[in-house]
Structures are given as C-alpha cells and as structure tokens.
Amino acid sequence: MKNGYILELRNIYKSFGGLRALIDVDLNLRHGEIIGLVGDNAAGKSTLMKIVSGAYRADEGKILFNEEEVQIANPKDARKIGIEMVYQDLELCQNLDVPANLFLGRELHSETFFRFLRKRNMEKESLDILHRLKIDIRNPRTKVDKLSGGQQQAVAIGRAVSFDPKIVLMDEPTANLAVVEIEKVLELTLRLTEHNISIIFISHRLDDVFRVSDRIYVLKHGYMVAVKEKLKTNKEEIVKAMFMDVEEQESLQQ
Amino acid sequence: MGNMGGADLYSPMDRKFKVKEYAIFLILLGIFIVFAFFLRDRGFLSLVNLMNIFRQTAIISIMAVGFTFMLASGEFDLSIGSTVALASLVGALTLQRAGILPAVFAALGVGALIGYANGFFVVKAKMPSFLATIAMMGIIHGLARWITHLQAVPVLNKTFTYIFGGGNIGPIPTLFVWTLVVMVIGQVAMVMTLFGRKVLATGGNVVAARLAGIDTERVKWLLFIVIGMISSLAGLLYTGRLHAARYTYGEQDLFTVVAAVVIGGNSIYGGTGTIVGTVVGSLILGMVNNGLILFGFSVDQQVIFRGIMILIAVALSPKGPKE
Ligand SMILES: Nc1ncnc2c1ncn2[C@@H]1O[C@H](COP(=O)(O)OP(=O)(O)O)[C@@H](O)[C@H]1O
Ligand SMILES: [Mg+2]
C-alpha cells in the first residue's frame, strides 16, 4: 500500500435522465479515517454513496479499493469487497426484534428439511455485537419499533459492522434523532474506527461532521468543490464552500 | 417459546410485555364465562353445544391459519372461499371415478394451481393482490358453478368422510385433529423456521428484506400456493363433513376468516403472525355466534354483529408502518 488510501473514487459521473447528479467527482478515504461528506440538499451525497454501495452504477469513473480497481455492480459486490452502507431511511424490519434484524437474510438455521432457526445462537452473537460496540439496548428481544430512534440507528450500524466491513458508509445517521441520541450515535461512529473500519459520514449538521471526521469533503450541485482537513478549517469556511458559486470556489481552492 | 428461554436475554422486567400476548385468551375466557352465566339455562355449557361450536369453527380456523401467513407477508388472498368450493367439487368428482388418493391430489392440485396463478399475477404481473385475487375469486366461483351446473355431488365413500371431518377417533372428531395439526404446523413454521422469518420480514419491510437478500417474491408466490392448498383442504373437510360437494361452500367464509385473523391480533398491514391468536380469534367468533343464536338473534343480526366485531378488532389491532 503506497498511498495509504483504502478507497479512491476517480472522475465519477452520474446522471438521472437530464439531471446531472454527479460531475467528475473524486474522493479518497484513508485507512482508519472518518471523512465527512457535506453539501446542501440534492448536492449528490446520497447518490455518491449509493454508487459505492452498489445501489447505483456510475455512468463514468473508477472505484479503487486498496489501490486496485473494483467493479461494484450491486450491493452484494460491495459487501464482498467489505463495504457496508447504513441507509438514511432505516432499512430495518420494525416488526422484528434486534437479533432478527442483525441476522436478516443470513439467519443461522439447521440444515434439516425444515430449516429451524437457531435463535439462541443468533441471540448470543447479537449480544456479542451489541456488547462489542457498547450499544445500550436493555432487552434485545424488543421489537425494533419499540426502540428509540438512536437505538434503531445503532442496530442498523451494528448490522453493518457485523458483516466485518472495511468501510462503512453512513448517510445522515443523525437525522431525526433527539439531541441526547445524536451524541450516542456519534460516539458509536468514532468507536467503529477502533475496529479497523474507515468511514464516510454524511450529514448536513456541521457540528456532527466536525465532531467525528478527520477531513471534510464538500459537494455542491454535483461538483466536489472542497476538501479540508478538519483541524485546518472551520464551519464558516465549510458553509461558504457549500453555498458559494462553483467558479468562485475553484479559484478559492488553488 | 421454549427455545427462546434462558437467562441470557430475560430480565424480570421484560415479562410485563407478555400480558398482551395472553389478552386474547382472557377475552375468550371472559366471553365464555359471560355466556356460561347468562345462557346456563339454554344449553350453552352442554357438551353437544360446545362440540358444535368447535365443529363450526374448525374449518374457518384452518383457512385462517393460511390467511395469517398471507397477511403476515403483506398480501391478501380473497379467492380462498371460491377455491374451497371448486376443490370440493373436483375432489368429489374425482372420488367417484378414481378413489380417495386421486381425489385428494386433484383437490390439492386445484388449490395449488389457483395459488400459482394468483402468485403469477401478483409477483410477475405486479398486480395488487386484493385486485388479482378478487378477479380470481370471480373466475373460480364461475367455474365452481359451471362444473356441475350447480348440482351437489354426493359423497358416499365412508373412509373419505371419516378422514375428512366426518368421523371421530374415540371421542375426538377428526376435524379437531386436522385443526390441531394445521395450527401446530402453522405456529411452528411461523415462529421457529427460516421460512416464517422470511414471511415476517417480507411483511415487515419488503425493501429491507430484499436488500438483505431475501427473495420476497418467491416467498409470496409460495404462500399463494400454500394458501390455495389449505383452502383445498378446507374444501375436502366440508365435503367429508357434509357428505357432499357443493358450489356454495366457502362462500361466506372469507369474511369470517378475515375477522378471525384480525380479532386474533394480527395487523392488516402485514408483519405480524400469531397463529395461536388467529385460532383463538376464530373460537371467539364461533362462540359469540353460538351465543347470539342461543340468545335468539337472527342470522342477519349475527352478520351485523360480526361486522361490528371486525371494526372493533381493526381499531384495536396493531397500526400500520410508520412512514
Ligand atoms: N433515483 C433517482 N432518480 C432520479 N433522480 C435522482 C435519483 N436519486 C437522486 N436523484 C437526484 O439527484 C440529485 C442528488 O440527489 P441526492 O444524491 O439524494 O442528494 P443529497 O443526498 O445530497 O441530498 C437530486 O436532484 C435528486 O433529485
Ligand atoms: Mg441524501
């Protein structure tokens, strides 16, 4: 590994019909790093993440994982590579309990003709995951819709982590959460790096982004208009980048 | 559930959630006590009457188990009633010509075929299930009327009537055995197997389920076939119990089945699957119906009453997904 990047996006283009959602976008993610991805509504943040997670296919551009080009045609490809996405709109089954959600789609079961669930094993491993990530859910057998928004987000993150990923993409994980819960999700996000996970963290809440990220990327109308080291920038500068004209921005970047 | 026990996840506080699960039994018990008291002079408590309640609810319960699965996956099958009739007639006609085993296969085959077609329209042609299956209901109902020109098909085969709901094993009606078997298989499948989990995930959040790699379309398609075959079994049981096949079987059952499932505590928005609740719901309906008869209410009044019960049950039932 020469350049130390686990993920590199190069010259990514994506259009929806006539709408140009992403134009010549570059992004680099270092090993063990958290980068913040910010931008106004419809800037293209979710689209970019969905390209990395295999939900969308880029029209043009390259994705490099550990400096080797990879094809990510669907979420399965992404998962094989070690990329997990925590979706903005929680992709949990509200009617099922925590272990059921953590193991959704890869339930442990007997190999008999009638496949009996190994609920005990799944519960044990679920407790392990929750414990490892210090996720505070008193009774994991509660149906997810009875959990708070923050706990639900934690379950979604726990599910992503349980696939043993190298990269986790988080799309607005703090949206719709109460203030106390936001802090917990942020702490959880920071803790993930202890498990050798690199993270792209999307939020329009700059406080959150500044709390967790090492570097901050700014998208605007589909253009990546700025990259800043967190310690060498401030909110004012980021806000300017988010809302200033592209031309102005480019001159500023030099 | 036995396999869920253990100190690893339970804290004593969690047990308070359990009260809700028993509510349905308490309601059943409450109604039973009220009727036992007010109808004590009208034979409500007699063994004959209680057995009667049971016989009248058995076939509904069986169909309701199938419907619970369907609803759990987030889909409807409104063609179950007409499937009962067609399977009954096909079964009886085959029985006359070829014997019991071919008759059973023919009847189940009819249900499986109808289910396959329903599944095709919903899964492949992307039609809303309530529309696809209501159209199917019309087609099947027409076929059932046409196949024997409204004539009943008598069934004289003693073995057949004995097995399919007409006989007793010692003091226990075979109907009881069928109901118990279907209920137990249903409950185990729903709660303890991978398939049940897939059904619940599909009904709970179809996008999440698909994203997790669950073939939700296959799950639904399979359910349509299963519920078709369960309806066929119901048709065979009517045939055996009443010693004849008729196109009218099942006509009124859809309403009652839906009522049983909803009263049993299942959400009409999918994602819940309490089989035991459904069967208790069916028993409650049967008992109330029986009580109303003993109180002297007319058939029309009973139907009105059942409608009111559905409304109350829906009002109290689990709400839809939060958007
Ligand atoms: N599946 C899609 N079909 C059509 N347009 C889309 C689709 N997904 C995103 N877009 C459009 O692409 C632009 C970027 O959207 P998005 O990536 O969701 O922005 P953000 O997450 O930054 O708010 C928006 O104008 C949005 O309407
Ligand atoms: Mg977005």
Side-chain angles (χ1 to χ4, degrees):
Chain A
M1 266 158 266
K2 285 161 298 184
N3 62 18
Y5 291 131
I6 186 163
L7 181 75
E8 296 162 75
L9 308 182
R10 295 208 185 140
N11 314 106
I12 302 286
Y13 286 80
K14 177 74 183 174
S15 297
F16 297 104
L19 185 117
R20 307 220 292 165
L22 294 171
I23 303 123
D24 197 17
V25 168
D26 284 6
L27 180 146
N28 300 320
L29 176 65
R30 296 195 183 106
H31 286 274
E33 183 187 37
I34 302 181
I35 62 177
L37 179 57
V38 299
D40 199 5
N41 268 338
K45 307 181 294 290
S46 296
T47 304
L48 187 60
M49 290 307 97
K50 285 179 180 170
I51 286 171
V52 179
S53 73
Y56 294 160
R57 201 91 210 248
D59 300 336
E60 277 177 61
K62 277 187 190 170
I63 303 177
L64 279 73
F65 182 81
N66 279 333
E67 293 173 54
E68 276 178 36
E69 185 170 358
V70 287
Q71 303 297 325
I72 304 179
N74 53 53
K76 256 188 207 155
D77 289 353
R79 177 160 293 162
K80 237 180 272 163
I81 294 169
I83 299 172
E84 286 294 325
M85 174 126 168
V86 180
Y87 281 87
Q88 181 173 4
D89 22 41
L90 293 166
E91 295 301 339
L92 298 176
C93 285
Q94 301 280 329
N95 59 325
L96 299 177
D97 64 8
V98 175
N101 272 288
L102 289 176
F103 280 89
L104 195 66
R106 52 184 173 136
E107 290 80 2
L108 306 178
H109 57 76
S110 67
E111 291 302 333
T112 45
F113 178 74
F114 291 106
R115 296 180 171 182
F116 289 101
L117 294 169
R118 298 198 193 285
K119 285 190 179 178
R120 255 175 183 287
N121 296 358
M122 289 194 276
E123 289 181 351
K124 280 224 176 69
E125 292 193 26
S126 299
L127 284 177
D128 266 7
I129 294 166
L130 298 182
H131 190 72
R132 210 148 36 98
L133 298 176
K134 301 198 177 67
I135 295 171
D136 176 30
I137 294 174
R138 210 186 317 146
N139 178 14
R141 243 179 246 163
T142 329
K143 307 242 179 300
V144 163
D145 67 356
K146 297 279 188 300
L147 299 176
S148 71
Q151 288 175 319
Q152 291 187 24
Q153 192 59 264
V155 172
I157 294 170
R159 175 173 164 79
V161 171
S162 67
F163 286 95
D164 217 358
K166 298 282 172 281
I167 299 173
V168 171
L169 316 171
M170 301 169 87
D171 194 348
E172 306 262 11
T174 53
N176 315 318
L177 294 188
V179 181
V180 256
E181 307 213 296
I182 289 177
E183 182 52 28
K184 283 193 178 166
V185 170
L186 296 181
E187 280 167 18
L188 176 55
T189 306
L190 286 166
R191 240 176 281 138
L192 295 190
T193 56
E194 295 164 15
H195 298 268
N196 267 329
I197 295 170
S198 312
I199 296 167
I200 302 179
F201 183 96
I202 296 183
S203 180
H204 58 259
R205 289 174 42 97
L206 288 185
D207 283 336
D208 300 354
V209 172
F210 270 81
R211 171 99 163 76
V212 297
S213 45
D214 303 304
R215 289 186 302 137
I216 299 168
Y217 278 80
V218 184
L219 262 177
K220 181 169 180 294
H221 296 323
Y223 292 93
M224 193 67 89
V225 293
V227 194
K228 305 283 178 192
E229 298 281 336
K230 176 180 73 179
L231 297 176
K232 294 179 187 162
T233 186
N234 53 45
K235 275 183 217 162
E236 199 185 342
E237 195 179 21
I238 297 295
V239 170
K240 267 188 198 157
M242 284 168 68
F243 297 103
M244 207 183 282
D245 281 347
V246 177
E247 300 79 34
E248 282 177 81
Q249 192 52 55
E250 273 169 354
S251 61
L252 202 101
Q253 246 183 309
Q254 306 310 319
Chain B
M1 292 276 43
N3 72 332
M4 298 260 292
D8 39 355
L9 281 183
Y10 268 132
S11 69
M13 289 183 78
D14 306 329
R15 293 187 191 278
K16 70 170 183 266
F17 291 112
K18 296 275 155 180
V19 174
K20 221 170 137 190
E21 286 172 33
Y22 295 121
I24 184 82
F25 292 100
L26 295 179
I27 293 171
L28 180 70
L29 192 70
I31 294 173
F32 181 81
I33 291 171
V34 168
F35 283 0
F37 179 75
F38 286 106
L39 294 169
R40 61 189 179 282
D41 299 330
R42 304 193 194 188
F44 176 77
L45 277 178
S46 72
L47 191 63
V48 177
N49 188 55
L50 293 179
M51 285 305 251
N52 216 12
I53 291 176
F54 187 75
R55 280 207 190 83
Q56 275 155 4
T57 53
I59 297 176
I60 294 294
S61 298
I62 288 172
M63 292 166 76
V65 169
F67 201 86
T68 306
F69 270 91
M70 207 71 238
L71 202 56
S73 79
E75 301 290 349
F76 291 89
D77 186 349
L78 306 182
S79 67
I80 52 173
S82 52
T83 303
V84 168
L86 188 63
S88 155
L89 289 163
V90 169
L93 290 173
T94 314
L95 184 65
Q96 285 181 343
R97 287 161 180 75
I100 292 182
L101 220 55
V104 172
F105 274 111
L108 292 179
V110 164
L113 222 76
I114 293 170
Y116 187 87
N118 278 330
F120 177 84
F121 290 124
V122 173
V123 169
K124 285 291 160 204
K126 310 276 181 215
M127 291 167 69
S129 59
F130 76 96
L131 281 181
T133 57
I134 216 166
M136 186 60 75
M137 175 174 91
I139 295 170
I140 304 303
H141 185 65
L143 277 175
R145 294 170 69 101
W146 173 72
I147 186 174
T148 60
H149 307 285
L150 308 186
Q151 295 303 302
V153 182
V155 167
L156 304 171
N157 187 316
K158 289 254 162 46
T159 317
F160 180 90
T161 55
Y162 177 84
I163 296 172
F164 289 100
N168 292 295
I169 302 171
I172 301 165
T174 48
L175 258 186
F176 181 88
V177 177
W178 279 110
T179 311
L180 201 71
V181 166
V182 170
M183 182 181 87
V184 169
I185 291 177
Q187 176 70 19
V188 167
M190 185 72 89
V191 178
M192 291 169 66
T193 69
L194 184 61
F195 181 69
R197 176 60 57 80
K198 286 181 178 176
V199 169
L200 291 171
T202 301
N205 184 345
V206 75
V207 178
R210 221 177 287 142
L211 217 66
I214 294 172
D215 189 344
T216 56
E217 304 198 325
R218 205 181 100 101
V219 168
K220 287 180 180 180
W221 207 330
L222 215 66
L223 279 182
F224 276 111
I225 294 172
V226 169
I227 197 176
M229 293 174 74
I230 290 178
S231 306
S232 292
L233 173 62
L236 290 172
L237 291 173
Y238 272 121
T239 309
R241 188 180 155 218
L242 303 172
H243 300 265
R246 291 188 181 85
Y247 76 93
T248 51
Y249 290 164
E251 246 179 354
Q252 310 292 327
D253 288 352
L254 180 64
F255 189 53
T256 319
V257 165
V258 174
V261 174
V262 174
I263 289 170
N266 291 291
S267 163
I268 51 164
Y269 302 100
T272 60
T274 159
I275 299 293
V276 175
T278 288
V279 173
V280 175
S282 165
L283 278 173
I284 288 176
L285 273 172
M287 197 181 285
V288 167
N289 216 39
N290 179 270
L292 291 176
I293 293 169
L294 295 182
F295 274 123
F297 287 99
S298 72
V299 174
D300 308 327
Q301 288 165 324
Q302 293 162 34
V303 173
I304 293 171
F305 210 86
R306 213 178 310 153
I308 294 171
M309 281 179 67
I310 295 185
L311 285 179
I312 294 173
V314 172
L316 296 177
S317 90
K319 292 293 172 284
K322 292 173 245 167
E323 283 300 330

